[in-house]
Amino acid sequence: MVQFKFDKRIKKGFYSASYFNKSTKIVAKYKPHEIVCMQFVHFNKSAVKVCGINESVQLLQATISKSVLKQLQVYGLKDGDLASGMQPVLLIIGPYQHFGKYENVIDGILARRTSVCNNCYQMLQLITPKQLIYMADRSDDYLLQPYDGYSAYIGGVRNFVTQASVSLIHDPTITVTGTIPHALIQAFDGNLNHTMDAYIKEYGKSKAVALVDYHNDIGAEIKKLSVRFKKLFAIRIDTSCNLLDDGLKRLGIIKSSAYGVSPELVNYARETLNDVGMQDTKIVVSSGINNEKIINFQKHKCPIDYYGVGSELITRNVHFTADLVLKNHHHQAKAGRKLFITVNKIKTLTKYI
């Protein structure tokens, strides 16, 4: 079981909306004996792979005393379960004053973790876990890397690029991998062969990957690499969507669909690799990769071995809402809300507390 860590200030309401803090104090004074049920659901039209359940439960356990926890019941799905819209993923039952101030905190945990998890899961319906390299480390606050990494793992990802991303995961099948940055090529005055020489001397050649778009002429770069690195593990194409590769220009392929990391560019790279005797060298693509682009690559039967994907995997697109739907075991809720499962089915969910 992954152990999550929490800022001690959560318990004091530091991260809670002020009206939740005020409400819990009012309820504790005027309505301390009411038993309510708080339901957490999303309203997406399609089912999503849920994440954040374990973290939410551990938050309650870390901030509420054992004696008070005995007054609560917590039921829910498991991290990695599929949940349809309006299907409760978490239910907290007990006196509101003991947990009410955590409503927005848990909403946020579920929304972020599930969004990342489900984005990865959806992409992995198109490609295999072996093909996907999780490169979202540069797309958001670095402090989120352990939590996003865990969420991505629940979504099926096994290849990461930072140690932080795997710090909550204990699984020998995961890898921390990577290529080289443009900065390293710049350090060697744009000479990719000299760059790879230095890299291989320091880190070996077994998984060495050359970034070939520095000069926006991947054909020329591949030909130079072939002189010394015929057994290179892979090349990576990271061409900006605003650029048309010079090699494609020479071939007369000048059209909007060929800009950036396009099917035309990938096929050109594969043909060039084969022509110079680098048939075993694999191809990694990156730069704005999303599901739509992957589908297009597959439509054109592009020989891509790995996809480096960033911001597409951490886009927030699953939102959760928490509502009080029962009071003293009877319906009591805002208009349009209700307990979306029957009371007798609550106990079919996993009981956490």
Side-chain angles (χ1 to χ4, degrees), residues 10-252:
I10 292 177
K11 186 174 182 178
K12 297 179 180 179
F14 182 73
Y15 293 95
S16 300
S18 61
Y19 48 86
F20 290 135
N21 287 325
K22 292 173 182 177
S23 295
T24 54
K25 290 181 180 179
I26 292 171
V27 170
K29 182 175 181 179
Y30 294 98
K31 298 284 185 177
H33 304 300
E34 309 285 1
I35 303 299
V36 300
C37 174
M38 182 175 284
Q39 170 184 260
F40 293 83
V41 300
H42 73 86
F43 292 97
N44 283 39
K45 292 182 180 180
S46 57
V48 302
K49 186 170 278 283
V50 176
C51 190
I53 303 294
N54 288 339
E55 187 177 351
S56 298
V57 172
Q58 287 185 32
L59 180 145
L60 296 174
Q61 294 170 327
T63 57
I64 300 175
S65 68
K66 291 183 179 180
S67 60
V68 172
L69 276 177
K70 291 179 180 179
Q71 300 178 48
L72 302 181
Q73 296 179 67
V74 178
Y75 296 89
L77 300 181
K78 297 177 181 178
D79 283 351
D81 283 348
L82 287 171
S84 57
M86 296 192 296
Q87 178 182 356
V89 304
L90 189 67
L91 295 169
I92 306 174
I93 303 169
Y96 177 81
Q97 65 269 23
H98 297 326
F99 64 87
K101 66 183 177 183
Y102 301 128
E103 176 178 333
N104 68 307
V105 179
I106 294 175
D107 267 342
I109 290 172
L110 292 172
R112 176 76 184 201
R113 310 297 179 253
T114 298
S115 291
V116 174
C117 177
N118 193 60
N119 289 339
C120 295
Y121 171 72
Q122 293 299 330
M123 185 166 285
L124 289 173
Q125 303 310 295
L126 303 174
I127 58 177
T128 68
K130 182 180 179 181
Q131 290 179 287
L132 179 57
I133 303 173
Y134 182 86
M135 298 177 68
D137 52 292
R138 66 186 63 194
S139 301
D140 213 332
D141 188 336
Y142 70 95
L143 292 173
L144 292 168
Q145 287 184 29
Y147 306 96
D148 286 351
Y150 169 76
S151 304
Y153 173 79
I154 296 298
V157 174
R158 294 298 179 267
N159 301 316
F160 299 86
V161 297
T162 76
Q163 291 293 335
S165 294
V166 302
S167 59
L168 293 175
I169 309 166
H170 305 287
D171 183 340
T173 68
I174 61 174
T175 64
V176 177
T177 183
T179 61
I180 61 170
H182 293 102
L184 188 60
I185 302 173
Q186 192 248 25
F188 287 86
D189 299 315
N191 190 311
L192 184 56
N193 277 13
H194 291 172
T195 304
M196 297 310 298
D197 254 339
Y199 181 90
I200 289 171
K201 285 177 182 177
E202 294 298 320
Y203 298 104
K205 62 181 180 180
S206 63
K207 294 290 183 179
V209 182
L211 188 55
V212 294
D213 61 278
Y214 189 86
H215 296 290
N216 194 41
D217 194 341
I218 66 170
E221 291 285 33
I222 290 171
K223 289 174 183 176
K224 291 177 185 176
L225 283 169
S226 70
V227 176
R228 302 184 57 185
F229 302 105
K230 278 237 177 358
K231 299 298 182 181
L232 187 69
F233 175 71
I235 61 165
R236 174 180 159 209
I237 308 172
D238 191 55
T239 304
S240 167
C241 64
N242 298 316
L243 294 176
L244 178 63
D245 185 86
D246 288 342
L248 294 183
K249 293 177 184 177
R250 288 193 295 272
L251 292 173

Side-chain angles (χ1 to χ4, degrees), residues 206-328:
S206 63
K207 294 290 183 179
V209 182
L211 188 55
V212 294
D213 61 278
Y214 189 86
H215 296 290
N216 194 41
D217 194 341
I218 66 170
E221 291 285 33
I222 290 171
K223 289 174 183 176
K224 291 177 185 176
L225 283 169
S226 70
V227 176
R228 302 184 57 185
F229 302 105
K230 278 237 177 358
K231 299 298 182 181
L232 187 69
F233 175 71
I235 61 165
R236 174 180 159 209
I237 308 172
D238 191 55
T239 304
S240 167
C241 64
N242 298 316
L243 294 176
L244 178 63
D245 185 86
D246 288 342
L248 294 183
K249 293 177 184 177
R250 288 193 295 272
L251 292 173
I253 303 175
I254 304 174
K255 53 184 178 179
S256 59
S257 64
Y259 276 68
V261 184
S262 63
E264 292 87 348
L265 186 58
V266 172
N267 288 332
Y268 170 57
R270 183 72 269 165
E271 291 170 6
T272 306
L273 287 167
N274 293 345
D275 288 343
V276 298
M278 298 176 71
Q279 294 90 342
D280 295 329
T281 298
K282 301 182 184 303
I283 295 177
V284 182
V285 296
S286 55
S287 186
I289 303 300
N290 55 31
N291 289 356
E292 183 180 356
K293 286 188 176 181
I294 290 175
I295 291 171
N296 191 42
F297 285 135
Q298 293 175 336
K299 176 182 176 182
H300 288 86
K301 296 182 171 31
C302 293
I304 297 171
D305 300 285
Y306 301 96
Y307 296 83
V309 187
S311 59
E312 178 74 6
L313 297 178
I314 60 170
T315 301
R316 170 84 177 274
N317 49 27
V318 182
H319 301 270
F320 281 84
T321 184
D323 292 294
L324 293 178
V325 292
L326 296 178
K327 179 180 177 184
N328 296 326

